[in-house]
Amino acid sequence: MCLQRLSQAALETLAVIAYHQPVTREMVKGIRGVNSDGVISSLADKGLIREMGRDPERGQAIIYGTTNAFLEKFGLRSTRDLVEEVYKFI
């Protein structure tokens, strides 16, 4: 999968999940301000995010996080590297 094939919505949603994981669909919606269900399903199909479990405090909502494939595609060793990459641009 080529990263250039990800839509702006997919990149935004992936960024929210990566920085705020573990997150539910509702949490992503609250941050982005739009329904992201289709984008989340697409990212899961592409193997960039995965279901990490269920949140008993939110009605057993599915919790999402990034995958090793996400790290590889973006050239990261771990999600901690995300913060370091952001500071390079500040």
Side-chain angles (χ1 to χ4, degrees), residues 73-84:
K73 296 286 183 194
F74 284 88
L76 303 169
R77 291 167 291 164
S78 75
T79 53
R80 286 180 288 238
D81 292 343
L82 289 169
V83 175
E84 293 172 17

Side-chain angles (χ1 to χ4, degrees), residues 33-80:
V34 295
N35 184 313
S36 302
D37 290 355
V39 177
I40 289 172
S41 294
S42 176
L43 291 170
D45 290 345
K46 289 175 173 58
L48 296 173
I49 64 170
R50 68 179 180 88
E51 293 181 14
M52 298 178 67
R54 299 276 179 162
D55 186 345
E57 295 178 11
R58 297 182 193 272
Q60 296 298 320
I62 298 170
I63 299 170
Y64 294 94
T66 56
T67 63
N68 286 334
F70 161 78
L71 295 173
E72 291 171 12
K73 296 286 183 194
F74 284 88
L76 303 169
R77 291 167 291 164
S78 75
T79 53
R80 286 180 288 238

Side-chain angles (χ1 to χ4, degrees), residues 22-29 40 55 58 61-64:
V23 296
T24 64
R25 289 177 187 255
E26 280 301 309
M27 293 165 76
V28 173
K29 180 180 180 181
I40 289 172
D55 186 345
R58 297 182 193 272
I62 298 170
I63 299 170
Y64 294 94

